[in-house]
Amino acid sequence: MRDWLATCLWALGACLLAMPSVGSAAAPVVGGGSLHVEMLDPAAADVSIESLTGGSLDSRFRPFDFTAARKRDTAFWLRLRAEESSAPGSVPTLNVSKGRHLQIQAFTVEGDRTVQLRTATYLPGFRGMHQAVLALPDRLSRGQLLYVRVDPQGEGWEGLQFTVSTLEQTLATGAERARMIALAFGALMAMAVSSMLIWLVLSDRLLLFYAALFSLQALYIAYLSGQGFEWPVLALGAPVMSYTWNVTAALSGAAACLFVREIAELRLYSPRVHTIFGWMAATFVVLAFANLAQHIGLGGVVAAIGNLVFMGSAIFTLIVSFLAWQRNNRAAGWFLIAWGLLEGFTIAVAIRLLLTDPEGAEGLLYYGLPLSMVAAAVLIALGVADRLRDQRLALSDAELRAQTDPLTGVLNRRSLVERLEAACLRARARGLPIALLFIDLDHFKEINDTRGHQAGDACLRAVIDPIHKELRQSDVIGRYGGEEFVVILSSADIEAAGPIAERIRNRVAEVRVEGFGEPIRLTCSIGVATSDTLGVWGEHLIARADAAVYDAKRSGRNRVQIAGALPA
């Protein structure tokens, strides 16, 4: 499994290294599907539609060259010829995928008059593109001409694509895409908000970084897909459209760096790499603000630097996460799988957008990328949960170690006294008695002196199981000190405690400890103190039971002594 994953990661890294630099804008996209597109000679003045439909300028049309048309940064005319009849439908449409800064007017000829096409709706698209849906008076017939005037107003996604469809099909496709993006956005934001709420309770920085990372991812996919500009609140980003996905992507990179160094525990295992990730996060923040450089003609430079930083950080992140996973950090392993999945789809989308237009990559853009983001969020959430579980187990283990005696595994003296006080409070509140057994191994010092301390330790461990066999689930045993043990018997009076103590004494007398010469025979003296006969609680019970043990020792050892009431 580890070898397979390592191979996949190195392959992904190789793809990252081989990936060409993706600029801030794709190459111009032109085309018309079943429409043949021609443009009027850009040298011609901005003519009227009547002169075009009259046929006097037919010789001035040439194959469509979007770059040549945009060089003059002025309005230009296109002529579209239907190469086949359009499919039947209730409302036939001409769909124009374009940058939002390109204003269009479309015309057709009916008989001897020119008719301007009405805009039915606009559908958002990726990277500032949108689709103008123009209603046709009737379905197109083969050879029918349409005229389109394109007027650039500002800057944006450079491209034009024309298709013929029906209003019903176009709206259905748009609704399906919008639903997919909305579901992905909602899932990412829900997980981010949930993480934030948990952070308010647990105060673990990992949860805060998770919330920041996937809330920014949610904003990124909303703005990159164009859907966010149609939603309340997020529509406020429309005036700075090109910044929205670039800035959120850069800030998401910063959040990812901070998240990685936290989940990989780099502060503990590799302080130098921890510092490197901090500087990488700062670099991403600088890149976010560096998008302003496009106003002074440096947008391409910033895009190239950004691509290098993203590629380098992706490779470095995968390597660091892989090494952390190799260190048995399961949370880093979850992140490794998620990050590899997300980077794989991101690379595929970037290359596809470099080679073609967004409309030619619907599967990746509207399904692959959003679903990979949600899957990554779920997988990384599992990693965070695994990390929190490990922390809880470590804390529970630390608490257990702090409460137990390392030699025998029973409660230590401090925890024993705390349990006794709590048991006494419950017993007094319910009007129930409580009993205490003070167990002292006989001749223990002699065993240590003659057989050695290892033999003494073995004797202490050997008596725990026989004692446990006579106790109930609610009873508690702890090591009070040296060879002394205390047993708390909940809801037990003197009539119940005495027989239990006697059975424990008999079981201990059956113990034989071997491995240190002749088998060691053990016996113990037990003092019994109960609240129903003495009227005392807490540590006063321990004192009375301890005194009873001394009476048992003086009476010959290996016996049970009941603590009596003090004389008036």
Side-chain angles (χ1 to χ4, degrees):
M1 173 65 179
R2 286 178 182 264
D3 293 340
W4 173 82
L5 184 54
T7 302
C8 291
L9 289 173
W10 286 118
L12 181 59
C15 291
L16 278 165
L17 287 170
M19 187 183 76
S21 178
V22 182
S24 58
V29 175
V30 299
S34 61
L35 298 169
H36 178 67
V37 184
E38 299 173 302
M39 73 174 183
L40 185 64
D41 186 351
D46 191 9
V47 299
S48 65
I49 181 62
E50 287 76 13
S51 60
L52 291 173
T53 57
S56 60
L57 298 175
D58 286 354
S59 61
R60 304 289 298 273
F61 280 95
R62 61 181 61 175
F64 184 25
D65 184 344
F66 185 83
T67 303
R70 290 291 289 121
K71 277 182 180 179
R72 305 176 69 91
D73 200 27
T74 58
F76 57 92
W77 281 95
L78 300 176
R79 183 172 68 181
L80 282 60
R81 176 180 286 106
E83 296 185 327
E84 58 186 34
S85 299
S86 60
S90 55
V91 181
T93 59
L94 173 66
N95 299 340
V96 186
S97 299
K98 64 183 185 65
R100 292 174 183 251
H101 66 300
L102 300 178
Q103 307 301 314
I104 63 169
Q105 292 175 295
F107 303 87
T108 187
V109 178
E110 285 191 339
D112 57 352
R113 64 189 184 91
T114 302
V115 178
Q116 182 174 350
L117 304 186
R118 294 175 301 167
T119 302
T121 187
Y122 289 98
L123 298 177
F126 270 74
R127 293 198 311 178
M129 182 202 80
H130 72 175
Q131 188 177 70
V133 181
L134 308 177
L136 292 166
D138 199 357
R139 55 180 296 200
L140 290 179
S141 57
R142 181 182 177 85
Q144 185 174 343
L145 298 178
L146 299 172
Y147 297 90
V148 178
R149 184 177 185 272
V150 183
D151 185 9
Q153 299 289 333
E155 298 179 350
W157 183 78
E158 295 290 343
L160 276 174
Q161 187 176 41
F162 302 92
T163 57
V164 177
S165 183
T166 64
L167 186 61
E168 181 182 14
Q169 181 179 353
T170 301
L171 293 179
T173 301
E176 182 180 351
R177 294 174 177 179
R179 183 164 53 250
M180 192 68 231
I181 298 298
L183 288 173
F185 176 85
L188 292 171
M189 287 301 295
M191 299 187 74
V193 170
S194 298
S195 180
M196 179 68 73
L197 294 175
I198 298 173
W199 171 77
L200 293 175
V201 177
L202 300 182
S203 299
D204 190 317
R205 286 183 301 179
L206 188 65
L207 294 166
L208 185 62
F209 294 146
Y210 179 93
L213 173 60
F214 285 103
S215 60
L216 288 168
Q217 288 278 301
L219 291 172
Y220 171 72
I221 192 63
Y223 281 131
L224 183 67
S225 67
Q227 299 292 335
F229 301 114
E230 310 297 320
W231 298 343
V233 181
L234 294 188
L236 296 175
V240 289
M241 184 175 298
S242 62
Y243 295 114
T244 52
W245 57 82
N246 287 332
V247 170
T248 52
L251 294 179
S252 177
C257 289
L258 296 177
F259 182 86
V260 170
R261 71 178 194 172
E262 193 71 21
I263 200 169
E265 299 177 318
L266 295 178
R267 186 190 299 273
L268 176 63
Y269 292 102
S270 184
R272 182 175 298 178
V273 177
H274 181 274
T275 302
I276 291 174
F277 269 103
W279 282 108
M280 287 169 55
T283 302
F284 277 115
V285 173
V286 171
L287 278 175
F289 289 100
N291 280 277
L292 296 172
Q294 63 181 288
H295 291 295
I296 56 175
L298 296 178
V301 176
V302 172
I305 295 174
N307 288 331
L308 290 175
V309 172
F310 271 101
M311 286 189 292
S313 65
I315 296 171
F316 190 59
T317 296
L318 289 171
I319 293 173
V320 170
S321 300
F322 177 74
L323 294 176
W325 174 63
Q326 289 283 70
R327 204 177 56 240
N328 293 322
N329 184 329
R330 290 194 307 274
W334 285 109
F335 179 84
L336 184 64
I337 298 171
W339 197 249
L341 173 69
L342 185 57
E343 287 301 314
F345 273 98
T346 301
I347 294 167
V349 168
I351 294 177
R352 189 64 186 268
L353 288 178
L354 185 69
L355 300 177
T356 184
D357 63 290
E359 292 300 307
E362 297 92 342
L364 279 174
L365 294 176
Y366 291 102
Y367 298 96
L369 184 60
L371 289 177
S372 71
M373 288 181 172
V374 175
V378 172
L379 290 171
I380 294 176
L382 290 174
V384 172
D386 198 15
R387 155 82 173 265
L388 294 176
R389 184 182 68 89
D390 285 344
Q391 289 179 339
R392 186 186 65 183
L393 291 176
L395 181 61
S396 299
D397 184 62
E399 290 176 347
L400 183 62
R401 290 176 182 273
Q403 292 175 356
T404 57
D405 171 54
L407 177 62
T408 60
V410 298
L411 293 179
N412 57 29
R413 179 168 179 164
R414 187 189 68 180
S415 299
L416 177 70
V417 172
E418 291 175 353
R419 293 286 187 91
L420 177 60
E421 295 296 339
C424 287
L425 286 175
R426 289 195 300 269
R428 298 184 74 172
R430 299 171 183 175
L432 298 174
I434 192 168
L436 195 116
L437 310 183
F438 200 107
I439 305 170
D440 192 319
L441 296 185
D442 297 329
H443 305 294
F444 186 74
K445 184 177 184 304
E446 181 181 342
I447 295 174
N448 272 337
D449 292 342
T450 59
R451 302 294 184 95
H453 287 281
Q454 289 186 342
D457 291 346
C459 292
L460 292 174
R461 288 191 294 266
V463 300
I464 299 302
D465 188 57
I467 295 174
H468 265 303
K469 288 180 178 178
E470 295 298 334
L471 301 183
R472 301 163 297 175
Q473 191 72 28
S474 59
D475 298 332
V476 175
I477 180 175
R479 186 180 177 190
Y480 195 69
E483 71 277 20
E484 300 168 338
F485 297 90
V486 169
V487 173
I488 303 171
L489 301 175
S490 299
S491 306
D493 57 14
I494 189 62
E495 293 183 359
I500 293 174
E502 194 63 45
R503 290 197 298 271
I504 290 175
R505 184 191 67 79
N506 290 331
R507 283 190 177 274
V508 171
E510 295 172 356
V511 172
R512 300 291 183 270
V513 179
E514 299 181 349
F516 303 94
E518 289 292 325
I520 302 173
R521 299 168 59 93
L522 297 177
T523 61
C524 67
S525 300
I526 303 177
V528 181
T530 59
S531 62
D532 60 318
T533 58
L534 301 176
V536 296
W537 302 88
E539 293 194 68
H540 294 292
L541 276 174
I542 295 178
R544 299 301 299 276
D546 188 20
V549 166
Y550 279 102
D551 290 339
K553 297 280 189 181
R554 286 193 293 266
S555 300
R557 295 184 173 87
N558 191 23
R559 59 180 296 162
V560 174
Q561 182 69 43
I562 306 297
L566 293 175

